[in-house]
Amino acid sequence: SPRVLSGIQPTAGSFHLGNYLGAVRQWVALQETHDAFYMVVDLHALTVLQDPKELRANTRLAAAQLLAAGLDPERCTLFIQSHVAEHAELAWVMNCLTGFGEASRMTQFKDKSAKHGADRASVGLFTYPILQVADILLYQANEVPVGEDQRQHIELTRDLAERFNGRFGETFTLPRPYILKETAKIYDLQDPSIKMSKSASTPKGLINLLDDPKATAKKVKSAVTDTDTVIRFDVEEKPGISNLLTIYSTLTGTAITELEQRYDGKGYGALKSDLAEIMVDFVAPFRERTQQYLDDPETLDGVLAKGAEKARAVAAETLSQAYDRVGFLPAK
Ligand code: TYM
């Protein structure tokens, strides 16, 4: 069956609703139909300053959340990026294939380095997308389920795969982005002109999945809408309401047109308080399941050890082909 691969950073605290609706939810669905590889990208996390203790704890927490979200180790391969040395090894080869100007044009680097100050940004942050290229190519992934903000990185992956294949012979599968239109970009609840994110959102605009469910309900109820009262999906004119409709529709599997009818003439308050309840019903058990995995480190470590072993087998084969193609002398 076709292969998918994706990754998520081990951020402090918890995943947010954008991570879940934009990516992780699709990961869960795709493990049923695809040969699926999912990882916690701790190498990527290191591109910005990390406290070692926190990085370790956040990596565990990320894995626990992925299991709580519904990844099933019987149906997918779940692993930690640094457990598979091949990622860093193939990244080096890909670094040498990437133009300096090409890397400079990556928008995430431009945004992040502008934020941290260009001379304080690490070289790792600069080559971040190229490590992601290696992540994807190592597994010969056909599709990469992500949110819209990762599209450019997948385009770079295709470019570099083509370049490598052209220069050294057919080696890598060209991956396609798997981005669902509806949930490609979940917006900040307080400022629906920006995407929900840990770095840019205000605390009130950001739904952290492990927050107190009561606080989450409150954030939903105080989401910014508009001065109109009509509940209609219209991203241009009504970005706040449209974002809430997207979230509501995805969490319940109800079509947006049906929601528009259901709330016709009912006003924003009704929609928000129903959505607050739906959100609580989602995050409360998620929180509990995450805690259960954290409380059972032996099981969690076992899952990750088995995942790393399965991932390594695939990655090692691709890397040895790539090493051979570029002309490295085999180690005897
Ligand atoms: P990360 O950790 O920033 O985000 C994880 C996933 O969540 C998606 N996402 C969103 N989707 C919709 N709306 C939002 N507001 C929103 N915010 C985040 C992201 O698009 C992503 O899919 N570079 C990647 C991690 C990575 C990776 C890979 C992904 C490393 N190697 C290989 C795919 C394949 C990142 O930082 O994601």
Side-chain angles (χ1 to χ4, degrees):
S1 51
R3 168 117 9 113
V4 290
L5 171 125
S6 200
I8 189 162
Q9 295 205 51
T11 48
S14 78
F15 297 156
H16 61 72
L17 189 64
N19 296 137
Y20 177 72
L21 294 180
V24 175
R25 198 169 170 276
Q26 280 66 262
W27 300 10
V28 175
L30 288 166
Q31 65 183 345
E32 305 299 334
T33 49
H34 286 64
D35 185 18
F37 288 78
Y38 303 124
M39 62 182 166
V40 179
V41 294
D42 52 352
L43 297 179
H44 279 104
L46 206 61
T47 56
V48 296
L49 206 60
Q50 296 282 347
D51 173 81
K53 249 202 213 132
E54 280 171 26
L55 177 58
R56 211 168 349 258
N58 290 333
T59 301
R60 279 187 162 282
L61 181 61
Q65 288 179 88
L66 290 174
L67 292 169
L71 291 189
D72 175 355
E74 300 295 318
R75 292 190 161 73
C76 71
T77 303
L78 173 63
F79 66 101
I80 307 295
Q81 188 185 30
S82 67
H83 291 179
V84 182
E86 283 80 0
H87 290 254
E89 295 176 306
L90 185 63
W92 178 256
V93 175
M94 290 300 156
N95 276 331
C96 297
L97 220 69
T98 310
F100 199 87
E102 191 175 29
S104 309
R105 284 191 293 276
M106 293 287 115
T107 53
Q108 282 210 337
F109 174 73
K110 286 198 282 186
D111 295 348
K112 284 191 191 166
S113 60
K115 219 186 100 213
H116 298 289
D119 41 307
R120 287 175 65 206
S122 71
V123 174
L125 190 64
F126 183 64
T127 60
Y128 178 116
I130 307 168
L131 175 59
Q132 185 165 348
V133 167
D135 293 341
I136 297 167
L137 297 183
L138 271 179
Y139 298 89
Q140 309 283 14
N142 303 99
E143 295 189 281
V144 185
V146 286
E148 183 61 39
D149 61 357
Q150 298 298 312
R151 189 185 291 279
Q152 195 186 34
H153 293 163
I154 298 167
E155 275 161 16
L156 178 69
T157 309
R158 293 177 62 90
D159 289 348
L160 290 180
E162 272 188 306
R163 190 171 307 160
F164 188 105
N165 290 349
R167 199 167 295 171
F168 302 112
E170 242 359 90
T171 307
F172 295 119
T173 304
L174 263 54
R176 287 181 304 273
Y178 181 94
I179 301 175
L180 295 188
K181 197 165 95 268
E182 298 75 22
T183 52
K185 199 168 174 186
I186 300 297
Y187 296 90
D188 185 294
L189 295 191
Q190 286 298 314
D191 179 0
S193 71
I194 60 170
K195 73 170 182 195
M196 187 179 285
S197 84
K198 286 263 175 183
S199 50
S201 293
T202 58
K204 278 182 76 188
L206 175 75
I207 302 276
N208 281 313
L209 299 185
L210 295 176
D211 279 356
D212 175 7
K214 274 198 218 103
T216 296
K218 212 163 154 195
K219 287 184 192 177
V220 173
K221 287 183 185 161
S222 58
V224 160
T225 42
D226 50 56
T227 52
D228 195 12
T229 55
V230 185
I231 293 177
R232 176 166 52 87
F233 188 83
D234 181 340
V235 179
E236 294 298 314
E237 299 294 324
K238 304 170 82 64
I241 275 295
S242 301
N243 192 38
L244 296 181
L245 284 169
T246 298
I247 296 168
Y248 194 137
S249 160
T250 318
L251 285 179
T252 59
T254 320
I256 287 183
T257 48
E258 200 186 317
L259 293 176
E260 287 172 333
Q261 284 170 14
R262 193 183 298 171
Y263 287 97
D264 187 28
K266 283 200 179 136
Y268 296 162
L271 175 83
K272 286 184 189 173
S273 81
D274 288 353
L275 180 56
E277 209 172 295
I278 289 160
M279 197 82 87
V280 169
D281 288 346
F282 170 69
V283 295
F286 174 81
R287 215 170 165 224
E288 251 171 61
R289 285 194 299 270
T290 301
Q291 193 55 51
Q292 282 165 9
Y293 285 110
L294 289 175
D295 289 343
D296 182 5
E298 254 167 60
T299 303
L300 190 61
D301 289 345
V303 166
L304 296 176
K306 201 170 143 224
E309 195 184 316
K310 276 161 58 189
R312 249 180 247 130
V314 176
E317 192 182 324
T318 310
L319 183 74
S320 90
Q321 267 174 27
Y323 269 20
D324 182 57
R325 296 274 155 83
V326 301
F328 288 160
L329 183 67
K332 289 279 186 236

